[in-house]
Amino acid sequence: MKLSNQTLVTIIALAVLGALIMSFIAISPSIAFALGVILSGLAVHFMQGTSSTAATSDDSSSTASSSKTIYVGNLPYRANENDVKDLFSEHGEVFAVRLMKDKRTGKRRGFGFVVMNSADVGTAIANLNNKEYGQRTLKVREANEPKNGEDLDSE
């Protein structure tokens, strides 16, 4: 959980205020500590709930628009993530590479997914689709959204 400076100052002020109030009430220090922890936790929860909902919707839209996933088919079986990352890095910024494996044998299935900067996706697809790589002709296109419940093993 990431706390802003304003939230941190508010929490400290609440802790000091709580300590002053609890010092005037005749209860044991352990009970005062427990009440302070519970009240601080509730305060943080409610403070983060109001500010984080707006922030997460802004963050998710900017993240979703800054990267796209590309399907890469007909890969050589000996290709690994580093090889594929190096190949796609020549055409833009690569964030992640996932090559699929067979569940039972653990061998690569000859296809995978590359997550790239959305500005570079068009260039990478245009330059790498139908290109020969490792004596195989690559099939490169923008990936479809994953289906619910689909469980692909990745390396």
Side-chain angles (χ1 to χ4, degrees):
M1 174 178 5
K2 187 176 179 182
L3 297 176
S4 67
N5 288 338
Q6 181 183 7
T7 305
L8 191 58
V9 169
T10 306
I11 291 171
I12 292 170
L14 284 173
V16 169
L17 182 63
L20 288 173
I21 291 171
M22 291 299 169
S23 68
F24 294 116
I25 300 174
I27 58 174
S28 72
S30 60
I31 293 174
F33 177 76
L35 286 174
V37 168
I38 292 169
L39 292 175
S40 296
L42 288 172
V44 169
H45 174 73
F46 287 115
M47 288 173 60
Q48 288 295 325
T50 57
S51 64
S52 67
T53 53
T56 54
S57 64
D58 292 343
D59 291 344
S60 63
S61 64
S62 65
T63 304
S65 65
S66 65
S67 68
K68 287 189 179 179
T69 304
I70 300 173
Y71 165 82
V72 185
N74 206 26
L75 282 166
Y77 294 108
R78 68 181 180 276
N80 61 32
E81 280 85 359
N82 289 333
D83 296 337
V84 175
K85 184 174 183 175
D86 292 342
L87 176 68
F88 277 82
S89 292
E90 296 172 8
H91 304 285
E93 183 179 8
V94 176
F95 298 123
V97 175
R98 295 183 319 260
L99 299 182
M100 299 302 123
K101 285 182 160 184
D102 185 272
K103 289 181 181 181
R104 289 178 285 136
T105 64
K107 294 181 181 179
R108 291 189 181 93
R109 296 180 63 193
F111 73 95
F113 299 93
V114 178
V115 181
M116 291 187 71
N117 186 337
S118 59
D120 302 325
V121 167
T123 305
I125 291 173
N127 291 330
L128 294 174
N129 190 34
N130 293 322
K131 177 185 177 187
E132 188 168 316
Y133 178 71
Q135 300 176 344
R136 298 193 70 168
T137 304
L138 295 179
K139 301 298 178 193
V140 182
R141 67 175 191 270
E142 193 169 330
N144 298 330
E145 291 295 318
K147 297 175 184 169
N148 291 339
E150 186 174 320
D151 183 26
L152 296 174
D153 284 348
S154 63
E155 189 173 52

